[in-house]
């Protein structure tokens, strides 16, 4: 199976690459259009700031390319947020795949949220063999609101989307590549979509 | 619900793990990768690596070790020790570190914090504060927790609470607070200053220094309002088992990942 990780200016690329190595997959890290289009699975990672990342994607023509991908695509953390409609971070128009917005956590909780939190109301094959209230590792200051594409939610003083799905696109706010064995299982589930 | 984190800290010197008692008298504590794998399987929520021998010549050795660690574990880890530039940070993050921790360099050049958080995002920028309670005069008016630099060797006139507020304003995503009076004593964390800072700033606080018993961890969360606790020797020498510690904390009604 050919798995590609999208190379851009905001990736935590090697963490994802190493996590895939641990489950026996040697992934290609690339921003080449032909390579991405011909991959069986595409992972869109991301750590960093939304507006800078979107500008970079537009300049490299990766924005249209991602939206048009037909194979299963998994956005992680910022990657997932960039696949939504709009982000409050830098007031950025995003890729518009998921019909939901990205908002900033209010100061009633510590920001960023850093650490292990639970996921619940799991409603996707991405969560095969994953139980409700399983712990995943989160690091983020912005969150995706609940909406029609939500397939898992998490509580941080209120409930938000910790995973979304639409057609061939999946997004997770947590870091499966850093969430111990459970995270590895989610990556495996994505690869078997 | 977000859980409180238990973070073993591994001090690294020349590719080996050591732990100082009051920052001196280093003792050798084993091979890093063996310990690292052991910890990631034991239920540790995160790991912190502090390179206490960091010099420019040794950077490459450190980044190789970071990559080796990243390949071997599936939980997040932070790397610190002698980091002073955007290039240092870029190298370590690209080698597989999830977060980096800066200390003295941030004090000498606070703009480094905003430069780093603008470039890499505040979520991966941990600012470490080494602090010591100092009695300065017989009236006690200036008695306070002051910031120390260079591994605790140099006292500054900056109070820890003021520095904490400043670094958060500059873009620190997390604070690693080490109380030097407590470090290595096994008499408990400095819950007073931890609570004071945790309630004053809106980023997570990792309490460090003084862990000796399971009750100390509980107190750091309940009294110190810490978001995470960090310890080294009690874990390295198997004085406290992480699984048992987490079960204990859960029984004490602290939100913990089991």
């Amino acid at each position: 199976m050919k798995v590609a990780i999208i190379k851009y200016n905001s990736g935590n690329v090697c963490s994802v690459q190493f996590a895939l190595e641990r489950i026996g997959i040697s992934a290609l890290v690339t921003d080449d259009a032909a390579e991405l289009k011909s991959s069986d699975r595409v992972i869109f990672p991301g750590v960093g700031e939304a507006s800078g990342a979107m500008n970079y994607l537009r300049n490299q023509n990766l924005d249209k390319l991602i939206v048009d991908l037909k194979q299963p695509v998994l956005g992680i953390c910022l990657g997932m947020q960039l696949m939504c409609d709009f982000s409050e971070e830098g007031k950025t128009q995003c890729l518009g795949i998921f019909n939901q917005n990205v908002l900033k956590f209010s100061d009633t909780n510590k920001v960023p949220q850093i650490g292990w939190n639970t996921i619940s109301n799991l409603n996707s094959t991405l969560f095969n063999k994953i139980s409700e209230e399983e712990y995943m590792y989160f690091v983020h200051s912005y969150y995706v609101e609940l909406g029609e594409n939500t397939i898992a939610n998490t509580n941080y003083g209120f409930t938000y989307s910790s995973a979304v799905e639409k057609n061939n696109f999946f997004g997770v706010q947590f870091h499966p590549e850093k969430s111990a064995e459970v995270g590895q299982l989610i990556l495996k589930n994505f690869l078997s979509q | 619900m977000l859980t409180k984190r238990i973070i073993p800290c591994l001090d690294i010197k020349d590719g080996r793990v050591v732990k100082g008692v009051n920052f001196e008298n280093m003792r050798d504590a084993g091979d890093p990768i063996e310990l690292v794998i052991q910890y990631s399987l034991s239920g540790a929520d995160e790991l912190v690596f502090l390179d206490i021998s960091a010099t420019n010549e040794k950077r490459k050795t450190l980044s190789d070790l970071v990559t080796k660690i990243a390949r071997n574990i599936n939980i997040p880890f932070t790397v610190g020790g002698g980091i002073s530039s955007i290039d240092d940070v870029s190298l370590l993050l690209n080698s597989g570190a999830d977060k980096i921790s800066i200390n003295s360099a941030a004090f000498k050049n606070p703009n480094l914090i905003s430069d780093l958080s603008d470039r890499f995002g505040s979520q991966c920028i941990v600012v470490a504060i080494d602090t010591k309670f100092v009695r300065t005069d017989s009236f006690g008016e200036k008695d306070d927790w002051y910031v120390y630099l260079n591994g605790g060797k140099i006292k500054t006139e900056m109070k820890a609470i003021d520095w904490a507020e400043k670094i958060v304003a500059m873009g620190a995503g997390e604070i690693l607070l080490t109380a030097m009076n407590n470090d290595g004593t096994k008499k408990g964390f400095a819950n007073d200053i931890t609570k004071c800072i945790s309630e004053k700033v809106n980023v997570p606080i990792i309490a460090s220094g003084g862990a000796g018993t399971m009750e100390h961890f509980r107190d750091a969360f309940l009294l110190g309002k810490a978001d995470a606790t960090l310890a080294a020797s009690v874990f390295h020498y198997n004085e406290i088992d992480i699984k048992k510690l987490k079960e204990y904390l859960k029984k004490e009604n602290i939100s913990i990942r089991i």
Side-chain angles (χ1 to χ4, degrees), chain B residues 68-101:
Chain B
K68 204 169 160 191
I69 293 164
R71 277 184 200 277
N72 278 285
I73 61 168
N74 52 20
I75 59 169
F77 67 97
T78 303
V79 178
I83 294 172
S84 59
S85 69
I86 288 191
D87 287 346
D88 289 344
V89 172
S90 184
L91 175 65
L92 293 169
L93 293 177
N94 286 329
S95 303
D98 298 288
K99 298 187 263 187
I100 60 87
S101 164

Side-chain angles (χ1 to χ4, degrees), chain A:
Chain A
M1 177 183 287
K2 183 173 169 186
V3 179
I5 301 172
I6 301 178
K7 183 174 158 188
Y8 72 121
N9 66 337
S10 301
N12 55 338
V13 170
C14 67
S15 299
V16 176
Q17 205 178 2
F18 293 156
L20 291 170
E21 271 177 27
R22 289 192 290 270
I23 55 174
I25 298 284
S26 164
L28 182 72
V29 179
T30 182
D31 57 3
D32 181 87
E35 291 280 18
L36 288 170
K37 280 184 197 162
S38 66
S39 295
D40 301 305
R41 301 287 181 276
V42 174
I43 296 182
F44 182 32
V47 166
E49 198 273 331
S51 63
M54 272 310 298
N55 282 337
Y56 183 92
L57 293 176
R58 284 190 198 104
N59 291 337
Q60 304 290 316
N61 291 321
L62 284 167
D63 54 337
K64 289 184 191 69
L65 182 133
I66 295 170
V67 173
D68 290 339
L69 290 172
K70 299 287 178 265
Q71 63 277 59
V73 178
L74 175 66
I76 298 174
C77 196
L78 180 67
M80 166 204 192
Q81 296 186 358
L82 296 177
M83 289 156 80
C84 292
D85 277 337
F86 176 83
S87 173
E88 277 191 350
E89 189 175 24
K91 301 206 170 12
T92 309
Q93 206 61 46
C94 299
L95 297 171
I97 295 168
F98 304 121
N99 311 114
Q100 286 161 240
N101 293 323
V102 183
L103 310 174
K104 181 151 198 256
F105 279 132
S106 72
D107 283 348
T108 49
N109 278 312
K110 293 207 171 182
V111 182
Q113 172 179 221
I114 299 183
W116 299 78
N117 202 335
T118 51
I119 52 172
S120 49
N121 290 337
L122 309 180
N123 181 24
S124 165
T125 51
L126 194 61
F127 300 117
N128 276 345
K129 297 184 209 154
I130 308 274
S131 14
E132 288 284 325
E133 306 294 321
E134 196 60 80
Y135 289 103
M136 306 302 297
Y137 190 81
F138 291 82
V139 183
H140 60 125
S141 302
Y142 292 78
Y143 67 94
V144 177
E145 59 187 356
L146 292 174
E148 55 183 296
N149 303 133
T150 302
I151 52 167
N153 56 41
T154 290
N155 192 287
Y156 191 49
F158 65 98
T159 304
Y160 66 92
S161 298
S162 41
V164 283
E165 175 181 348
K166 186 181 174 187
N167 305 324
N168 55 319
F169 294 97
F170 298 82
V172 290
Q173 181 60 65
F174 49 83
H175 289 273
E177 76 280 12
K178 287 289 166 181
S179 295
E181 282 67 29
V182 194
Q184 272 175 219
L185 186 52
I186 289 179
L187 288 175
K188 280 186 190 165
N189 285 343
F190 168 68
L191 297 176
S192 33
Q193 290 296 320

